[in-house]
Amino acid sequence: MLLFAVVSGSAYFLVLQPLSTRLHTVREQKNILHDYMVIQEAGAAISEFKEGLMTGDQRLTVMSEVNLMAEGSGVRLIGDPDLLARRDGSGHFVEYPVRLRVKGTYHEIGAFLSLLERSPRFAIVEDVEVRSDVDSSNRDSEATVLLSLAAWEG
């Protein structure tokens, strides 16, 4: 019995305690790596967020992207966009509203609005007014879209 106690005590101090200490060290290192990964992912998310914002009034540059979205969805832009007066937001954020007129089928206009909302730019569709001519042979509708583009000025 004494021999069993000596052997089990020795096994604890020679094997289990060093393994326990090593396990604790590995857990600490894992937590540090996890924190580092979280910081990396947060930094990437912030960078992506900043890339979606305009710096000042870049509406004409963004309109080239909007034109590509219009072509991709099948709608046609009618006339030039109306660049409305800027609106100050909270802090350093500013909104630059744009009014667009587009023409296409109901589904094409819906696809265009979906592309605007999913774009990497912070484009917010604030208002949509769709008008259709029931007697029209081509089933096209005309829509006026009020779009707000977010900018960072600070």
Side-chain angles (χ1 to χ4, degrees):
M1 200 49 134
L2 181 62
L3 181 63
F4 176 73
V6 170
V7 170
S8 57
S10 299
Y12 174 75
F13 285 107
L14 295 176
V15 177
L16 293 179
Q17 190 162 10
L19 285 178
S20 174
T21 304
R22 177 72 179 136
L23 179 62
H24 180 70
T25 303
V26 168
R27 280 186 182 155
E28 286 178 353
Q29 291 172 346
K30 178 188 165 273
N31 288 337
I32 290 171
L33 286 174
H34 179 264
D35 292 347
Y36 177 76
M37 293 300 292
V38 167
I39 291 169
Q40 288 290 95
E41 290 174 5
I46 290 171
S47 293
E48 185 178 334
F49 175 78
K50 285 178 122 178
E51 288 173 8
L53 293 172
M54 297 186 309
T55 305
D57 188 356
Q58 296 176 320
R59 287 182 282 191
L60 295 178
T61 304
V62 173
M63 286 312 299
S64 64
E65 296 172 16
V66 171
N67 283 330
L68 291 173
M69 289 181 229
E71 290 173 11
S73 63
V75 300
R76 296 170 307 287
L77 292 175
I78 301 171
D80 292 328
D82 296 330
L83 305 179
L84 305 174
R86 78 180 235 169
R87 297 182 295 219
D88 292 333
S90 61
H92 296 285
F93 288 100
V94 177
E95 292 181 346
Y96 289 96
V98 178
R99 183 174 292 119
L100 308 168
R101 287 183 38 229
V102 297
K103 190 167 193 165
T105 67
Y106 181 78
H107 293 290
E108 289 170 341
I109 293 171
F112 175 64
L113 294 174
S114 178
L115 286 174
L116 285 173
E117 286 285 338
R118 289 184 291 141
S119 77
R121 295 285 184 175
F122 285 98
I124 302 163
V125 176
E126 292 184 2
D127 188 38
V128 178
E129 182 182 323
V130 179
R131 292 176 301 285
S132 11
D133 185 5
V134 178
D135 297 331
S136 174
S137 60
N138 61 6
R139 300 232 162 211
D140 278 353
S141 297
E142 188 176 306
T144 302
V145 178
L146 180 59
L147 181 68
S148 181
L149 301 167
W152 174 262
E153 293 187 354

